[in-house]
Amino acid sequence: MCVDPWRLVRAAAVLTSAAVIVAALACGGAQPRQEAAGEARPAAKVLTAAERAAWYQECWAHFNGRAWAKFRACYADTVESDQVDSGHPAARGIEAAMAVNMGFAEAFPDVKGTGELILVNGDAIVSIYVLNGTHAGPLLGPDGHSIPATNKPVGVYQAHRIRTDALGSKVVEEEFYSDTGTMMSQLGLNPGPARPVATSRSAPPTVVVAAGTPAELSNVDLLRAQMAAYNSHDAKGVDAYNAADLVYHDMTMPADQTAKESLAGTLDMFRAFPDVKLVPLSAWGAGSYVVVAGRFEGTNKGPIPAMGIKKPTGKTVSARYLDIARWENGKIKEEWLFYDGMAMARQLGLLGKK
């Protein structure tokens, strides 16, 4: 058996440095390699777009498996994590971000996220995931109070938007977009109509990587043109960009809408908010998809049938949203809109003060 000379040094502190080296060589040990003066260290690996998509799914797998040490490694130390318009402050720093994730897992011990769509463009990744779980532990509600376990299942759609570091292997910023009202309804705590518990398909998610093609850039321009029509309150102009067989997923609504129903909803919005406008904060394409993160602003001066408002409140609202549109031959074939309808209701005075 070979004796570790370093243990002898720590225990007796009597060996000379030369003796230590001789003993180490006799045991087959080696001294730490010293970099030569001016020698460059190997460059850190920058993940390709495909590798970033794979890394992103691995991070979700760590969350699903409660592999917290591995999940933690997905975050930069200075990460900023925001549950958009949820009523909760953004979590700043890795400890705060981990606390939010682990707290949600305590409220839903069996929670699992299943990916349906993942879009990658440089250091930006946007996804649609379905969260399924059973409410078996205390949950921090939108009003800041703890909600006791209801033991009811939830299945809600969530959009996740992240920005990575330069290497593509750490989350620097992230935003979660989902409808609090839908979850509260599924838990039996919100009497309003909402989507039933969703169950995601079992197939792997659709992964699309931006290529910067003229078609991608054209789709972004088309969506900007549609937003311009919206801000001009040109309902027909907005509808002109929608395919006749459009499937519109407004995640605050109980069911998906057709192109005709989407047009009717646009007209209702113009009547309810005569000064309504969309303020895009970012827009980019990936394949046939276009992602827009922005803000909805307007003053309620008309009835809102969908929210049960018959008399205008006169209140101004500002709600953040994330929109994903899939284009085909210059028309939107499918669209997903994520925002927190409960936040809008709160601003309109329907839920009391925040």
Side-chain angles (χ1 to χ4, degrees), residues 8-143:
L8 296 177
V9 170
R10 289 192 297 270
V14 295
L15 298 178
T16 64
S17 58
V20 172
I21 294 174
V22 171
L25 292 175
C27 291
Q31 296 302 299
R33 178 181 178 275
Q34 299 294 322
E35 291 183 1
E39 181 180 357
R41 293 184 179 182
K45 178 177 173 55
V46 178
L47 299 186
T48 66
E51 289 171 335
R52 293 179 191 216
W55 160 82
Y56 179 77
Q57 293 177 76
E58 288 174 0
C59 289
W60 267 101
H62 297 328
F63 173 81
N64 288 342
R66 311 298 183 265
W68 295 124
K70 293 181 179 179
F71 182 72
R72 181 189 181 91
C74 295
Y75 280 129
D77 289 342
T78 57
V79 64
E80 292 195 7
S81 178
D82 189 7
Q83 300 176 66
V84 175
D85 283 349
S86 65
H88 303 310
R92 291 182 169 83
I94 192 169
E95 299 300 337
M98 287 298 297
V100 171
N101 283 286
M102 295 173 73
F104 191 78
E106 289 177 3
F108 298 88
D110 59 345
V111 66
K112 178 182 179 182
T114 305
E116 293 201 346
L117 177 67
I118 298 173
L119 307 175
V120 184
N121 187 322
D123 62 2
I125 297 178
V126 166
S127 71
I128 296 176
Y129 267 66
V130 178
L131 291 178
N132 288 103
T134 306
H135 181 213
L139 172 68
L140 185 63
D143 58 0

Side-chain angles (χ1 to χ4, degrees), residues 2-348:
C2 186
V3 178
D4 179 0
W6 306 112
R7 173 180 289 181
L8 296 177
V9 170
R10 289 192 297 270
V14 295
L15 298 178
T16 64
S17 58
V20 172
I21 294 174
V22 171
L25 292 175
C27 291
Q31 296 302 299
R33 178 181 178 275
Q34 299 294 322
E35 291 183 1
E39 181 180 357
R41 293 184 179 182
K45 178 177 173 55
V46 178
L47 299 186
T48 66
E51 289 171 335
R52 293 179 191 216
W55 160 82
Y56 179 77
Q57 293 177 76
E58 288 174 0
C59 289
W60 267 101
H62 297 328
F63 173 81
N64 288 342
R66 311 298 183 265
W68 295 124
K70 293 181 179 179
F71 182 72
R72 181 189 181 91
C74 295
Y75 280 129
D77 289 342
T78 57
V79 64
E80 292 195 7
S81 178
D82 189 7
Q83 300 176 66
V84 175
D85 283 349
S86 65
H88 303 310
R92 291 182 169 83
I94 192 169
E95 299 300 337
M98 287 298 297
V100 171
N101 283 286
M102 295 173 73
F104 191 78
E106 289 177 3
F108 298 88
D110 59 345
V111 66
K112 178 182 179 182
T114 305
E116 293 201 346
L117 177 67
I118 298 173
L119 307 175
V120 184
N121 187 322
D123 62 2
I125 297 178
V126 166
S127 71
I128 296 176
Y129 267 66
V130 178
L131 291 178
N132 288 103
T134 306
H135 181 213
L139 172 68
L140 185 63
D143 58 0
H145 293 93
S146 180
I147 300 173
T150 62
N151 296 310
K152 293 189 176 183
V154 299
V156 295
Y157 279 88
Q158 172 184 268
H160 188 210
R161 176 175 178 251
I162 74 167
R163 180 172 67 85
T164 71
D165 62 3
L167 300 179
S169 57
K170 297 282 185 182
V171 178
V172 176
E173 295 176 354
E174 71 176 345
E175 295 173 343
F176 297 96
Y177 294 80
S178 62
D179 182 40
T180 304
T182 296
M183 178 177 286
M184 293 297 104
S185 178
Q186 293 178 3
L187 293 177
L189 304 175
N190 176 16
R195 287 177 178 263
V197 174
T199 301
S200 179
R201 66 190 186 209
S202 59
T206 298
V207 178
V208 182
V209 173
T213 63
E216 285 181 354
L217 300 176
S218 175
N219 288 337
V220 174
D221 289 339
L222 288 172
L223 190 57
R224 289 188 181 278
Q226 188 189 46
M227 285 191 291
Y230 189 97
N231 288 343
S232 298
H233 294 187
D234 178 4
K236 290 185 178 180
V238 172
D239 187 58
Y241 292 93
N242 293 331
D245 57 350
L246 166 73
V247 178
Y248 185 53
H249 313 277
D250 180 338
M251 293 306 171
T252 67
M253 300 297 288
D256 294 338
Q257 299 176 7
T258 64
K260 184 177 180 179
E261 291 168 335
S262 176
L263 174 59
T266 299
L267 290 169
D268 284 344
M269 189 63 71
F270 290 163
R271 286 189 287 267
F273 298 90
D275 60 345
V276 65
K277 65 177 179 179
L278 301 176
V279 182
L281 303 177
S282 66
W284 49 267
S288 60
Y289 296 87
V290 176
V291 177
V292 176
R295 191 171 61 249
F296 163 95
E297 298 176 349
T299 305
N300 178 220
K301 295 184 178 180
I304 311 179
M307 301 184 75
I309 297 178
K310 297 180 180 180
K311 185 178 179 180
T313 65
K315 295 183 179 294
T316 298
V317 300
S318 177
R320 292 166 61 189
Y321 71 89
L322 188 136
D323 183 88
I324 303 173
R326 180 172 63 83
W327 292 77
E328 187 175 303
N329 299 322
K331 301 283 187 178
I332 299 177
K333 293 280 286 186
E334 191 169 13
E335 187 171 7
W336 296 261
L337 177 62
F338 293 86
Y339 66 99
D340 198 320
M342 188 167 281
M344 183 179 293
R346 186 183 299 114
Q347 293 179 33
L348 289 171

